[in-house]
Amino acid sequence: MSTTTTALQATSDFYSSNPATRVLRLALGTSQRLWPALGLRLAYRLFGTPLPPRWLRRDRPWPGHWTQERWAFEDASLTLHHPLRHPAAPASSAPAEGACVLLVHGWGGHAGQMLPLAQALIVRGLRPVLLDLPAHGKNAGRVSNLPQFARAMEYTLARLAQQGHTVQGVVAHSLAANGLAFAAARGLPTQRLVLLAPPASPREYTRLFAQVFGLHEPMRAALQRRIEAREGIVMAQFEPDASGPRITQPTLVVHDRGDRINPFADGAAFAEAIPGAQLLATDGLGHTRLLRDALVAQAVVNFLA
């Protein structure tokens, strides 16, 4: 089975578990035949909506030793989660003043998914800052996309630098990892990068989306052109061969061989394209369990520290 077929099946299974998928597929299919302009608007809105919807997720309370800071950003907002004193951190391992590591979740995720990595960083004397992206967590905004992810990370590092902080590393998962590679290729001011399960081709997501929701190729191509025109960037610029060679920071890529969302070959492509990058291959962790794995956390902390 090809990686495209595997990813399509995983995406299809995810959407099919929601009864609303059939209704959306019918609405898109009908509109693209009878009213293509409306169909394109509907497709664009649905493609940019993080799923599952945040209102379906039961919010878990944050630990008491964390504090939140919200910033306005574009037509949405960003939320940063900062640790206060953590009981697991030894007194002798206080982080350097102003130095921090930014942790960023993926599409449809939230900052809380990065807490296990954050705790491991704290124990080693590093200060994590967790970021909720636009239209995710409790942030404002209903839609987002990969270029906005990259801009959000660039803006966050600039604001942190303005506040006197040095971001010595950025760790990003899934689609945010792809955005991180793109931002780093444009000169993101950080010392080290960790890409967790990055996708290699954003264009492939438009193909998966089109197949899941029954869009024909002209409509899929129109959707891609609309995204590129509105964001002022073509999707090919986010692929490993375009961004990888321009990355100068030491980079660690972590990817599971059994990842059914972003195939292992995607992470390997980034590791090959980025000069001197290290590739850590895991087994049995899938796409999100690697965020909670103790050995992965140890490897990430060792690389950053």
Side-chain angles (χ1 to χ4, degrees):
M1 181 180 292
S2 69
T3 57
T4 299
T5 303
T6 302
L8 172 62
Q9 186 60 51
T11 306
S12 180
D13 290 346
F14 172 79
Y15 280 109
S16 297
S17 65
N18 189 333
T21 299
R22 292 183 181 180
V23 177
L24 293 170
R25 183 183 176 95
L26 177 62
L28 287 174
T30 301
S31 61
Q32 74 175 335
R33 291 193 305 271
L34 302 180
W35 194 353
L38 175 61
L40 179 58
R41 288 198 296 270
L42 291 175
Y44 178 81
R45 180 60 180 263
L46 181 59
F47 186 78
T49 301
L51 295 174
R54 53 190 171 187
W55 54 267
L56 285 178
R57 188 182 69 248
R58 180 177 298 176
D59 289 328
R60 296 181 179 179
W62 275 75
H65 55 273
W66 288 84
T67 184
Q68 285 74 41
E69 178 182 8
R70 182 168 293 185
W71 299 340
F73 177 71
E74 297 183 353
D75 58 352
S77 63
L78 303 170
T79 300
L80 279 71
H81 304 264
H82 301 271
L84 301 174
R85 180 66 184 166
H86 188 272
S92 61
S93 63
E97 183 66 28
C100 60
V101 176
L102 184 67
L103 304 179
V104 191
H105 65 81
W107 183 257
H110 56 92
Q113 293 175 307
M114 311 301 286
L115 274 171
L117 282 171
Q119 309 290 20
L121 288 167
I122 290 171
V123 170
R124 285 290 294 272
L126 298 170
R127 187 166 64 83
V129 176
L130 279 59
L131 177 65
D132 267 316
L133 291 162
H136 291 75
K138 294 183 179 180
N139 285 330
R142 296 182 180 274
V143 296
S144 188
N145 53 45
L146 174 57
Q148 188 182 54
F149 276 22
R151 294 195 301 272
M153 285 183 272
E154 291 172 340
Y155 179 76
T156 298
L157 264 66
R159 281 287 300 271
L160 289 172
Q162 187 181 59
Q163 295 176 356
H165 303 293
T166 299
V167 180
Q168 63 187 69
V170 182
V171 181
H173 179 235
S174 195
L175 194 69
N178 187 289
L180 173 59
F182 176 77
R186 299 207 302 181
L188 192 71
T190 187
Q191 298 173 22
R192 288 178 175 255
L193 309 175
V194 179
L195 311 181
L196 304 175
S201 177
R203 291 181 297 178
E204 192 62 36
Y205 274 83
T206 67
R207 298 187 180 97
L208 302 182
F209 177 84
Q211 292 183 62
V212 168
F213 287 98
L215 301 182
H216 51 55
E217 175 55 24
M219 181 63 72
R220 185 214 65 80
L223 171 63
Q224 179 175 331
R225 288 194 300 270
R226 169 166 285 204
I227 295 170
E228 292 175 335
R230 289 203 171 189
E231 298 299 326
I233 187 169
V234 298
M235 290 185 179
Q237 291 177 263
F238 286 90
E239 296 185 355
D241 289 344
S243 59
R246 294 183 288 131
I247 294 175
T248 59
Q249 296 96 329
T251 301
L252 173 66
V253 181
V254 183
H255 215 118
D256 192 81
R257 291 187 177 91
D259 191 328
R260 297 183 64 234
I261 303 301
N262 298 330
F264 177 75
D266 288 5
F270 268 109
E272 182 176 353
I274 299 172
Q278 303 175 35
L279 175 63
L280 172 60
T282 65
D283 290 290
L285 298 179
H287 188 63
T288 59
R289 287 197 303 277
L290 58 78
L291 298 177
R292 306 185 296 273
D293 184 75
L295 293 180
V296 169
Q298 189 64 46
V300 170
V301 170
N302 288 342
F303 177 78
L304 293 171

